[in-house]
Amino acid sequence: MGRSGHMFLVALAVAILGSCVELTGSVHISQLSSDLPTWKSDKTESYMPSLCSQPGLSLSPSSSVHALRPSDIAVVSTIGLPLSHRSEASIILSRLAELLSMFNPKVITISQDQASAPSLQQSRSLLQQAEDLSVSLSHHQADVDSDWRLVLMFISADTLCACSQQAKAEITAVVQDVEQALQILQMKLYHTLVNVVVWSSHPDVEFPQRKKLCQCAEDYRKSKHRLERAILTKALQESLHHLLVDQHWYSESDDFTVFLQSSPVVTEHISVSEESASQDLNNIVLQLWTNLLKPIRDQPVVKDNDIVNIRCHAEGQPFLQTQRNSHTKSQKDVHASVNSSEAILLFDPVMGSELPCMDRNPSTSTPTSVHELRPGDIKVVAAVGDSLTAANGVGANTDNILLVMNEYRGLSWSIGGDVNLTNVTTLPNILKVFNPSVTGFSVGQGNENSPQAFLNQAVPGATSADMTTQVHILVDKMKNDSSIDFLNDWKLITMFIGGNDLCDHCGDTVYFSANNVVARIRQALDILHKEVPRVLVNLVELMYIIPLRSLHQDKSLGCPSWFVNILCRCVMKPTEGSIELQKLTDLNRAYQRGMRELVDSGRYDTHPNFTVVLQPFFRELVLPLLSDGRPDRSYFSPDCFHLSQKAHSLMARALWNNMLEPVGNKTCTQDFSPGLSLQCPSKTSPFLRTAQNSNYTYPGPPPSPPPITNWGSDFSCANTVPSDTVPTSVHRLRPGDIKVVAALGDSITAGFGAKAKNILQLSTENRGVSWSIGGDETLETVTTLPNILRKFNPNIEGVSKGQSKKQNGFNVAVSGAKVAGIPEQVRRLIDAMKNNTAVDFEKDWKLVTLFIGGNDLCQYCNNRASLSPKNYSRHMMASLDLLYKEVPRVLVNVLEILQIDGLRRIKRNSIGCSLLQKNVCPCFIIPGEDSLELSEIKRINREFQDETESLVYGGRYDNREDFTVVLQPYFRNSIVPLNSEGKPDITYFSVDCFHFSEQGHAEMAIALWNNMLEPVGQKQTHNNFTYDRSKIQCPIEDHPYIFTRVNSFPSVPTTSAPSTATPLNAICSDNVPVWVAAVLAVVGLLIGWGVTWLLLSCRKKKNRRKMESVVEMMSTGF
């Protein structure tokens, strides 16, 4: 078991045994008050752990399945998962059994592979597996009168089809299989508790077999696929709930029962590292354990990213949960409780509106200016956007979540045209009152390609990146439709986008930054501006999404929060009051502000037949409430995420009223008031309001910043002092402790062409501005790693300065070098440091940065054998081995090679770019798009990265207290920087479009420094090349050290030097039962010598001086 697996068991063991349920991400030694370890928070008193009551052990076996204690379980087994997930299930089963073994050391496990013959494992149905398990369990029954079995029946949602009718039939078949399998187990087993768990892989994980199984799976776009997968998983969960809870089956017997776990297991993305993969499995085990226990309080709440609340046993009733002892409400009960309030109507039967306008006439002649456009002049309506405009689930019944997959486009607020205004309130139905012949609206149901959609080209799951595609399709449809006079008809197009960008932003903060999102919206509007005459574009400002979170904070509403977590995890995940929530709020506001600034730039008022008007009614959102103060669910579809027809009706009214309000004085709040009525054009201004007919003066673009004269950075860190005494451990190394810097590598580290202005200057090596070793001037004018370190220690040795073709300082990089040449560079570096009288080779702390591999990759196709990933790793190992063997007191930064294929996008109309780029890196630049050669080199690129990670974190360099290697991964997912036009920003690159410019070197230095201050496992894995003088981060007060693998996780002592790592302690009760020692002994056996060392240390060193140890946990808190 890996480190995270051990720590997971430690955390759960402490909680189960009656100590702390809150594990903080930062702990340190405190004096022991008992024989048990003591946890102490390193944060605030609000993080002080609450204590679980101690459950005790069963003195005699339970006679009822509804009063089972963990110690009663003798056998744990699983069935149900397909072969593709058997390995995960085996690990989960093992860890769950290890937890139970603390209560019953004799507990055994039986996986579905063990229960079936090897030749039959791949072909066994759920019924056959139930038969096999029944036989297998009967052979493992040691005591027929006392032993109890726990069976986890996993029901996979991965093979269900993403289309309503077929999905409904398949879900019905799955539920029938579950029912029959349970009947088999009930007939053949006794003393058994069955937990049914829905298992669903993350929607972004692709399963090619789904396409083969589904007859209707033409559209497998990632964004739409996520919504469909989430809906199917929710539908399967509800169907099983109906079978097992609503009908109260299997709940009467004392000898056998079935319990449906309240939420599915949704696995995360495929993890990059073994550490994070293990962490994902820990999350699943925690969820299963939480749902197994009969609770004393609600589901665990994460107070922040560093704390996990672990569910405790109910006081005096430490039982495993069943339907009878937990009084689980049926879905009918939940809906009944919601409907009991007179204020709640899940569907308002009156969705129409009255329009009191007397003057409904168009202009006497077709207007030539968009600023004189009356409602009756509109001939064509169209819309682009996401699922809100596609109208997913608008007409769905409250008890049928499968209908959320349906796109009720005829009811869509901005483009639907079903029936008429007296029955359905939409923008086109309002316009029909002024012009009955208006066209372009959507009717009925269907996707964007169906005839019913017409000019509603919105796609569920779309982001800002999809707008240009939707706009191109829309323009083609308008040009080619015989009912539309493309040149002369006035058109009204509504664009509403950005919600899914917010939902996904935490996965890629650069891609979904406000600047990039607004840039993509601008590209789409530019297409309309260029190609479509006579059009008014409504750009609806993104809604303020934060208030919608409260729907999932009131459990009485029965909203499926886990479901919305799949669709919009970046909005749902942050906890109240957290930094993450504030960042989300700031980004939401930045999206809104960016849209306003785009329109206010006046960019789209260059001729009289086109304009864009921002409609801001969603800027502030007031969630509708019931008379009792709870959120009104009737405005939402069954998933509590998409909006119902009731909400669409009010959105249409709000949009219409916004269109009639003058620019600069528009309503900016949507409070979903049912009393909102439709307004009429005024007599004095009967036009749809634009900036010009509102006498609105655009503020114009913000003033241009002063010209950039250098690539320096600002420095704001207050605490720059070194350690009080020179540290003996690299894991206690502060920036101010570093005395020597050095660098190994190729032309990038040599500063090749960094300041070149033309091709003649390209070969100059500007080593003084090199990102990792340069020392020209100061940080205020030149941003390099040594210049940052000089703020902590002005007397840094080893920096390179000026221009030089040879070694300069301890910059021993050689232009054109491959990894095979790095051992020679290391030898020259060691000799240089030993011979330098300013360096105390034995005592000075050194920082060495290694970045290599670009030339190996660029030439790989010319010599695949010698430049293979394995040889790359072998040469890297030889280099690090030499440092490890001969250099004392050193921290080595190793950078992963960047993803070089992004350089294919860097273009400049110059000889340097057009000729030199291909010569420098032929294996990446020359292959055609989608060619086998390009696919191969991309794969090799990733293998280089993987080999580097495996070498650095394989444990080879962990046995010295004064030496470590840290992988800095900000180039793992390389992102090409974009300019304000959304095109690759060539200012970050030299004249050959391959090497970095001084600006690029400055960004690399900042990214490296910030990576050094991030814990291993939580380091940023992409670059964020955007000019900002204030991006340099500071060491945090609680952890002033450069992060290493050891001080990023709970420490384990090294083998050849005394460890400075301190054991984890817990605050525990003074009253410790006698049986605790025995149980802890079992824990020690389970989680290895680390915990044994912890217990012995706790007992023998009570009075030992407190030592500090910072433990940065992963986001789950383990």
Side-chain angles (χ1 to χ4, degrees):
M1 181 183 297
R3 180 191 298 270
S4 67
H6 286 309
M7 291 312 304
F8 164 76
L9 288 175
V10 172
L12 283 182
V14 173
I16 295 167
L17 293 176
S19 56
C20 318
V21 292
E22 296 184 355
L23 305 181
T24 69
S26 183
V27 297
H28 63 259
I29 281 285
S30 65
Q31 270 198 326
L32 299 174
S33 58
S34 69
D35 287 342
L36 286 177
T38 303
W39 288 85
K40 182 173 180 180
S41 172
D42 213 16
K43 296 203 171 181
T44 65
E45 290 187 3
S46 63
Y47 286 13
M48 292 299 289
S50 58
L51 302 181
C52 294
S53 60
Q54 299 193 9
L57 292 175
S58 296
L59 298 179
S60 60
S62 172
S63 60
S64 171
V65 70
H66 307 290
L68 280 182
R69 298 170 184 263
S71 56
D72 294 324
I73 301 299
V75 183
V76 189
S77 55
T78 61
I79 59 171
L81 278 183
L83 190 64
S84 58
H85 292 299
R86 297 283 175 85
S87 60
E88 293 103 311
S90 175
I91 296 172
I92 290 170
L93 177 64
S94 173
R95 292 187 183 175
L96 203 56
E98 286 179 288
L99 292 175
L100 288 168
S101 68
M102 289 185 290
F103 301 91
N104 181 3
K106 296 182 180 180
V107 67
I108 62 172
T109 62
I110 300 178
S111 66
Q112 56 199 82
D113 289 340
Q114 292 173 298
S116 303
S119 60
L120 300 175
Q121 286 174 7
Q122 296 188 34
S123 58
R124 307 297 275 175
S125 67
L126 183 64
L127 275 64
Q128 293 168 327
Q129 290 180 45
E131 291 276 9
D132 295 339
L133 182 63
S134 300
V135 173
S136 183
L137 285 175
S138 65
H139 294 159
H140 286 84
Q141 185 70 13
D143 189 334
V144 295
D145 295 323
S146 62
D147 284 350
W148 284 88
R149 311 171 179 92
L150 172 63
V151 177
L152 296 177
M153 179 183 286
F154 292 106
I155 309 302
S156 176
D158 289 341
T159 56
L160 296 175
C161 273
C163 40
S164 296
Q165 283 190 319
Q166 192 168 347
K168 185 175 181 181
E170 290 189 356
I171 289 173
T172 300
V174 170
V175 173
Q176 289 174 348
D177 286 347
V178 171
E179 184 175 6
Q180 294 175 27
L182 290 174
Q183 288 174 349
I184 292 172
L185 295 178
Q186 186 181 32
M187 282 191 307
K188 299 191 175 184
L189 297 177
Y190 54 91
H191 273 201
T192 302
L193 168 62
V194 180
N195 262 237
V196 177
V197 184
V198 175
W199 178 290
S200 178
S201 299
H202 193 283
D204 290 347
V205 178
E206 296 182 359
F207 284 89
Q209 61 266 36
R210 286 177 183 153
K211 289 189 178 182
K212 297 178 182 178
L213 294 171
C214 296
Q215 300 174 3
C216 57
E218 305 96 356
D219 185 358
Y220 262 74
R221 295 177 70 257
K222 181 178 178 180
S223 54
K224 187 173 181 179
H225 177 65
R226 184 186 308 172
L227 170 64
E228 293 171 340
R229 295 300 311 151
I231 290 172
L232 290 175
T233 304
K234 171 64 175 169
L236 179 58
Q237 179 79 18
E238 288 185 347
S239 297
L240 290 171
H241 193 283
H242 177 70
L243 171 70
L244 302 175
V245 179
D246 291 355
Q247 298 185 9
H248 302 285
W249 286 19
Y250 311 109
S251 62
E252 303 303 322
S253 170
D254 284 326
D255 194 64
F256 181 96
T257 196
V258 179
F259 182 76
L260 175 66
Q261 294 218 352
S262 58
S263 57
V265 166
V266 181
T267 61
E268 294 295 328
H269 296 273
I270 299 173
S271 299
V272 174
S273 66
E274 181 180 349
E275 193 77 40
S276 55
S278 180
Q279 194 71 26
D280 294 340
L281 292 176
N282 288 343
N283 293 339
I284 294 174
V285 176
L286 175 61
Q287 176 182 332
L288 293 173
W289 177 259
T290 298
N291 290 335
L292 273 172
L293 296 179
K294 183 178 185 296
I296 191 172
R297 38 189 178 263
D298 291 335
Q299 292 283 348
V301 176
V302 180
K303 294 183 179 178
D304 71 7
N305 287 342
D306 292 333
I307 293 183
V308 171
N309 288 345
I310 301 176
R311 170 171 287 179
C312 301
H313 297 82
E315 190 168 353
Q317 293 183 334
F319 304 137
L320 301 182
Q321 194 168 192
T322 68
Q323 183 180 341
R324 188 197 296 180
N325 69 25
S326 61
H327 307 292
T328 304
K329 287 186 178 181
S330 69
Q331 292 288 355
K332 294 180 290 186
D333 296 334
V334 171
H335 288 304
S337 66
V338 172
N339 285 329
S340 62
S341 171
E342 294 181 0
I344 294 183
L345 290 173
L346 292 181
F347 284 98
D348 187 346
V350 182
M351 299 298 175
S353 300
E354 293 181 350
L355 189 66
C357 307
M358 301 302 295
D359 184 3
R360 304 178 180 181
N361 296 319
S363 302
T364 53
S365 61
T366 302
T368 58
S369 172
V370 70
H371 311 296
E372 298 175 353
L373 195 64
R374 296 171 182 255
D377 298 326
I378 300 295
K379 300 290 184 66
V380 180
V381 290
V384 291
D386 53 27
S387 57
L388 284 182
T389 302
N392 278 82
V394 173
N397 298 324
T398 56
D399 58 349
N400 192 346
I401 198 168
L402 281 178
L403 296 181
V404 176
M405 283 194 294
N406 290 356
E407 298 166 24
Y408 296 87
R409 292 178 182 259
L411 303 176
S412 176
W413 60 296
S414 63
I415 190 63
D418 277 359
V419 200
N420 53 50
L421 183 60
T422 59
N423 295 282
V424 177
T425 302
T426 65
L427 181 60
N429 280 352
I430 297 171
L431 290 170
K432 284 181 191 177
V433 176
F434 294 88
N435 178 11
S437 62
V438 69
T439 188
F441 53 82
S442 51
V443 295
Q445 300 179 32
N447 64 25
E448 69 277 9
N449 299 316
S450 65
Q452 296 95 324
F454 202 4
L455 299 184
N456 180 350
Q457 285 305 299
V459 178
T463 66
S464 59
D466 300 303
M467 287 300 94
T468 53
T469 301
Q470 290 187 28
V471 163
H472 277 303
I473 295 173
L474 177 62
V475 173
D476 289 343
K477 283 182 175 290
M478 288 193 293
K479 286 181 176 179
N480 297 320
D481 192 280
S482 59
S483 65
I484 297 174
D485 185 338
F486 184 73
L487 295 179
N488 296 312
D489 285 349
W490 279 102
K491 310 161 195 73
L492 178 67
I493 301 174
T494 301
M495 177 185 291
F496 182 51
I497 198 67
N500 291 310
D501 297 79
L502 268 183
C503 287
D504 291 345
H505 81 274
C506 58
D508 192 335
T509 56
V510 175
Y511 185 79
F512 292 111
S513 68
N515 286 339
N516 286 336
V517 167
V518 173
R520 292 189 280 268
I521 293 173
R522 183 182 63 241
Q523 290 171 3
L525 292 176
D526 285 353
I527 295 170
L528 293 174
H529 187 217
K530 180 180 178 181
E531 298 190 21
V532 185
R534 295 198 170 184
V535 61
L536 186 153
V537 179
N538 283 324
L539 177 60
V540 179
E541 190 173 301
L542 177 64
M543 75 166 64
Y544 183 49
I545 202 171
I546 308 301
L548 298 183
R549 289 163 43 93
S550 61
L551 266 174
H552 301 273
Q553 294 167 352
D554 189 334
K555 301 304 181 184
S556 69
L557 297 177
C559 284
S561 298
W562 63 265
F563 172 87
V564 180
N565 267 319
I566 296 175
L567 296 182
C568 197
R569 66 186 181 93
C570 301
V571 171
M572 292 295 295
K573 182 180 178 181
T575 55
E576 292 300 318
S578 65
I579 295 176
E580 289 74 18
L581 182 57
Q582 185 58 53
K583 288 181 178 178
L584 170 64
T585 302
D586 293 343
L587 185 63
N588 199 160
R589 294 304 192 191
Y591 281 11
Q592 294 176 329
R593 185 169 57 254
M595 292 179 186
R596 294 198 298 272
E597 291 174 352
L598 174 61
V599 176
D600 278 349
S601 68
R603 184 185 185 91
Y604 302 111
D605 273 313
T606 58
H607 48 76
N609 69 354
F610 186 97
T611 195
V612 177
V613 180
L614 186 79
Q615 310 298 359
F617 66 90
F618 263 146
R619 185 174 301 168
E620 301 294 340
L621 180 66
V622 180
L623 197 67
L625 302 177
L626 303 169
S627 59
D628 59 6
R630 294 184 300 158
D632 189 345
R633 189 177 170 181
S634 67
Y635 287 88
F636 298 88
S637 293
D639 61 359
C640 290
F641 182 74
H642 292 91
L643 300 177
S644 68
Q645 187 181 356
K646 188 175 180 180
H648 274 251
S649 299
L650 294 178
M651 289 167 64
R653 293 173 192 157
L655 174 58
W656 169 256
N657 290 347
N658 250 184
M659 292 168 61
L660 299 182
E661 295 170 335
V663 175
N665 196 28
K666 291 181 180 289
T667 301
C668 299
T669 301
Q670 173 62 280
D671 64 359
F672 285 100
S673 171
L676 184 65
S677 58
L678 294 174
Q679 303 299 313
C680 295
S682 68
K683 291 183 179 180
T684 57
S685 183
F687 312 121
L688 300 177
R689 304 308 291 266
T690 66
Q692 183 171 314
N693 65 33
S694 301
N695 294 320
Y696 179 80
T697 302
Y698 287 126
S704 300
I708 299 173
T709 59
N710 61 68
W711 299 110
S713 296
D714 298 329
F715 185 80
S716 60
C717 305
N719 186 6
T720 60
V721 297
S723 302
D724 293 337
T725 58
V726 177
T728 59
S729 171
V730 71
H731 312 298
R732 295 291 181 271
L733 191 65
R734 298 171 184 249
D737 298 326
I738 293 173
K739 300 290 183 65
V740 180
V741 291
L744 310 158
D746 53 24
S747 55
I748 301 295
T749 302
F752 186 92
K755 302 177 78 169
K757 302 301 180 184
N758 55 59
I759 196 170
L760 295 178
Q761 298 174 352
L762 183 62
S763 61
T764 301
E765 295 181 353
N766 304 108
R767 292 180 182 255
V769 299
S770 174
W771 59 293
S772 63
I773 189 65
D776 277 359
E777 301 181 27
T778 65
L779 179 61
E780 284 69 28
T781 56
V782 176
T783 302
T784 65
L785 181 61
N787 280 352
I788 297 173
L789 288 169
R790 279 172 167 171
K791 294 295 183 178
F792 297 86
N793 177 11
N795 300 315
I796 291 282
E797 295 290 338
V799 301
S800 56
K801 295 184 178 183
Q803 302 175 8
S804 173
K805 284 287 185 181
K806 298 180 180 180
Q807 177 181 330
N808 186 325
F810 294 145
N811 182 348
V812 296
V814 177
S815 293
K818 297 183 177 70
V819 70
I822 297 301
E824 181 184 347
Q825 289 187 28
V826 172
R827 171 48 58 199
R828 287 195 290 112
L829 173 62
I830 294 173
D831 293 342
M833 287 193 292
K834 286 182 176 180
N835 294 328
N836 191 308
T837 57
V839 175
D840 187 332
F841 186 73
E842 295 296 330
K843 296 182 179 180
D844 284 349
W845 278 103
K846 309 161 196 72
L847 178 68
V848 177
T849 301
L850 169 59
F851 182 48
I852 195 67
N855 293 308
D856 298 79
L857 277 173
C858 285
Q859 303 296 327
Y860 170 80
C861 58
N862 298 324
N863 194 341
R864 287 175 170 80
S866 64
L867 300 179
S868 68
K870 291 298 182 184
N871 279 339
Y872 176 84
S873 177
R874 182 171 59 83
H875 291 304
M876 180 80 76
M877 181 189 300
S879 306
L880 294 176
D881 285 355
L882 191 56
L883 287 170
Y884 184 69
K885 179 181 179 181
E886 298 194 22
V887 184
R889 294 197 172 184
V890 61
L891 186 152
V892 182
N893 283 325
V894 173
L895 267 75
E896 286 185 328
I897 185 63
L898 75 164
Q899 291 178 312
I900 297 181
D901 66 295
L903 295 177
R904 292 164 57 90
R905 298 175 56 193
I906 309 303
K907 304 294 182 185
R908 183 189 280 132
N909 187 19
S910 67
I911 295 177
C913 271
S914 58
L915 295 180
L916 295 183
Q917 194 183 48
K918 291 182 179 180
N919 291 332
V920 172
C921 198
C923 299
F924 266 102
I925 305 302
I926 294 177
E929 289 295 330
D930 300 322
S931 65
L932 292 176
E933 292 81 4
L934 183 59
S935 177
E936 178 194 23
I937 196 64
K938 285 182 178 180
R939 175 178 57 80
I940 296 300
N941 198 156
R942 182 63 78 182
E943 287 184 17
F944 270 44
Q945 293 179 330
D946 293 341
E947 289 287 346
T948 305
E949 182 177 18
S950 297
L951 173 62
V952 171
Y953 291 141
R956 186 178 184 88
Y957 307 108
D958 291 346
N959 292 327
R960 272 178 51 190
E961 193 66 19
D962 69 339
F963 185 98
T964 195
V965 182
V966 182
L967 187 73
Q968 310 298 357
Y970 70 84
F971 266 147
R972 168 167 278 270
N973 301 299
S974 308
I975 298 173
V976 175
L978 304 178
N979 59 22
S980 59
E981 300 294 324
K983 298 178 181 178
D985 191 341
I986 59 175
T987 63
Y988 288 94
F989 299 90
S990 190
V991 294
D992 62 354
C993 293
F994 180 82
H995 292 90
F996 286 102
S997 65
E998 183 179 356
Q999 182 181 358
H1001 276 266
E1003 291 295 330
M1004 290 178 66
I1006 295 170
L1008 172 59
W1009 169 258
N1010 290 345
N1011 251 181
M1012 290 167 62
L1013 299 185
E1014 295 167 336
V1016 174
Q1018 298 180 40
K1019 293 180 181 291
Q1020 182 167 297
T1021 57
H1022 61 267
N1023 56 296
N1024 179 19
F1025 285 8
T1026 53
Y1027 177 69
D1028 185 347
R1029 291 185 63 94
S1030 60
K1031 289 198 301 185
I1032 291 178
Q1033 301 298 316
C1034 300
I1036 60 175
E1037 184 177 351
D1038 290 343
H1039 194 287
Y1041 315 117
I1042 298 171
F1043 274 98
T1044 67
R1045 192 183 187 192
V1046 171
N1047 66 29
S1048 296
F1049 297 101
S1051 301
V1052 176
T1054 54
T1055 58
S1056 62
S1059 173
T1060 59
T1062 54
L1064 304 176
N1065 283 343
I1067 296 175
C1068 302
S1069 171
D1070 289 334
N1071 300 318
V1072 182
V1074 175
W1075 52 267
V1076 169
V1079 174
L1080 286 177
V1082 176
V1083 177
L1085 291 174
L1086 289 174
I1087 62 177
W1089 61 268
V1091 176
T1092 303
W1093 173 80
L1094 181 148
L1095 292 174
L1096 292 174
S1097 297
C1098 289
R1099 288 175 174 170
K1100 292 181 179 180
K1101 301 177 182 179
K1102 275 188 179 181
N1103 299 319
R1104 184 177 178 178
R1105 176 176 60 90
K1106 180 194 289 187
M1107 299 190 305
E1108 188 178 54
S1109 169
V1110 176
V1111 181
E1112 282 291 336
M1113 301 295 185
M1114 304 298 287
S1115 60
T1116 53
F1118 298 129

